[in-house]
Amino acid sequence: MSNQKRNTKAYWALCFVSGVALVLLTMFRPEGFWLGLPTFFGGLAMAMDWV
């Protein structure tokens, strides 16, 4: 197994943008809250290099 560092800037951007969308969905369309969760947590997991 190699210890290569991946460039995670795009994943952090994905996490940040989907976090903003998650907050906006919660404020204006509470029933749409669940739509933002997979993208937010997927972006967070990739940004933290857990995947």
Side-chain angles (χ1 to χ4, degrees):
M1 183 177 259
S2 64
N3 288 336
Q4 292 180 0
K5 295 279 285 182
R6 293 190 312 177
N7 188 4
T8 59
K9 290 179 185 175
Y11 298 134
W12 279 115
L14 174 69
C15 184
F16 178 73
V17 169
S18 63
V20 170
L22 190 62
V23 169
L24 291 174
L25 278 171
T26 303
M27 288 175 18
F28 297 111
R29 293 279 186 179
E31 66 273 5
F33 170 76
W34 303 105
L35 296 174
L37 286 180
T39 308
F40 176 74
F41 285 114
L44 181 64
M46 291 186 290
M48 297 292 281
D49 207 14
W50 293 338
V51 177

